[in-house]
């Protein structure tokens, strides 16, 4: 590694301990941001933009039901199955998509951060429970989200009818490249009850 001729050397990066004695502990340097290579790695994973998926589904349901797009969007992302009536199956499928996407995103984010410590670490290593505890994967992914936000509190963004297009003809709504998929972490507690309601509503 090349060294710059500093008159005054910069301070070393703070190290944050992630995990605990039961699941293992990692000491990770805190940069206050994701590195360019980490952003490239995450983008290359081609993860589902869960917000875009919610926008498209909300528009599709609104076109059939006549409901407000914003109401349907929040019902989908916040786990309010009761307000979707006959579109309960769409709700359950979307909850499954959110859960699967959350697991995939956690694996990718955790892998990007672990590469700071072990450059040859790959996604397959993160997904191997014999190499890293799944709860530690979650905690490293949470660390990655804090790095991405610059360790600032990120307020929930209000969604308007204009943002969602409010029309089935305008479903390709840009959401920005910095979507972190946080919406996938909401509403899971209601998914099982929604599935039960769906099963109960089926004939036979």
């Amino acid at each position: 590694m090349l060294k710059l001729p500093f008159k005054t050397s910069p301070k070393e990066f703070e190290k944050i301990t992630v995990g605990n004695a039961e699941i293992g502990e990692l000491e990770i340097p805190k940069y206050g941001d994701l590195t360019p290579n980490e952003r490239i790695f995450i983008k290359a994973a081609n993860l589902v933009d869960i917000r875009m998926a919610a926008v498209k589904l909300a528009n599709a349901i609104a076109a059939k039901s006549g409901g407000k797009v914003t109401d349907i969007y929040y019902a989908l992302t916040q786990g309010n199955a009761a307000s979707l009536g006959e579109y309960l199956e769409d709700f359950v499928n979307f909850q499954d998509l959110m859960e699967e996407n959350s697991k995939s995103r956690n694996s990718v984010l955790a892998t990007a951060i672990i590469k700071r410590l072990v450059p040859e670490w790959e996604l397959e290593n993160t997904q191997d429970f014999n190499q890293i505890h799944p709860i530690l994967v979650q905690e490293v992914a949470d660390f990655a989200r804090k790095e991405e936000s610059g360790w600032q509190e990120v307020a929930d963004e209000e969604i308007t009818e204009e943002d969602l297009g409010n029309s089935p003809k305008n479903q390709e709504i840009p959401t920005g490249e910095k979507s972190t998929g946080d919406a996938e972490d909401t509403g899971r507690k209601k998914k099982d009850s929604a599935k039960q309601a769906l099963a109960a509503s089926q004939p036979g």
Side-chain angles (χ1 to χ4, degrees), residues 5-27:
F6 285 113
K7 178 179 179 180
T8 302
S9 297
K11 293 181 179 179
E12 292 187 0
F13 288 109
E14 177 186 359
K15 292 186 177 180
I16 304 294
T17 299
V18 177
N20 57 53
E22 286 190 14
I23 62 175
E25 294 179 328
L26 291 174
E27 196 175 51

Side-chain angles (χ1 to χ4, degrees), residues 19 38-39 41 48 59 83-84 113 134 144 150 155 172:
E38 287 165 356
R39 291 189 182 278
F41 178 83
V48 172
N59 272 285
S83 65
L84 289 176
I113 294 298
E172 295 297 328

Side-chain angles (χ1 to χ4, degrees), residues 23-24 26 110-111 114 121-138 140:
I23 62 175
L26 291 174
T111 301
I114 293 172
W121 188 271
E122 298 296 342
L123 189 60
E124 299 78 42
N125 302 108
T126 306
Q127 295 170 336
D128 185 351
F129 291 175
N130 291 319
Q131 296 189 60
I132 181 170
H133 197 288
I135 297 178
L136 183 56
V137 171
Q138 172 72 58
V140 176

Side-chain angles (χ1 to χ4, degrees), residues 158-195:
E158 288 292 327
I159 301 296
T160 66
E161 293 280 352
E162 186 177 350
D163 293 331
L164 297 178
N166 199 22
S167 167
K169 295 180 181 179
N170 188 17
Q171 295 183 10
E172 295 297 328
I173 310 297
T175 60
E177 293 183 359
K178 259 196 122 176
S179 173
T180 60
D182 288 343
E184 72 235 16
D185 294 326
T186 66
R188 286 193 213 141
K189 290 182 179 179
K190 296 188 179 181
K191 188 177 74 170
D192 291 339
S193 61
K195 286 184 175 179

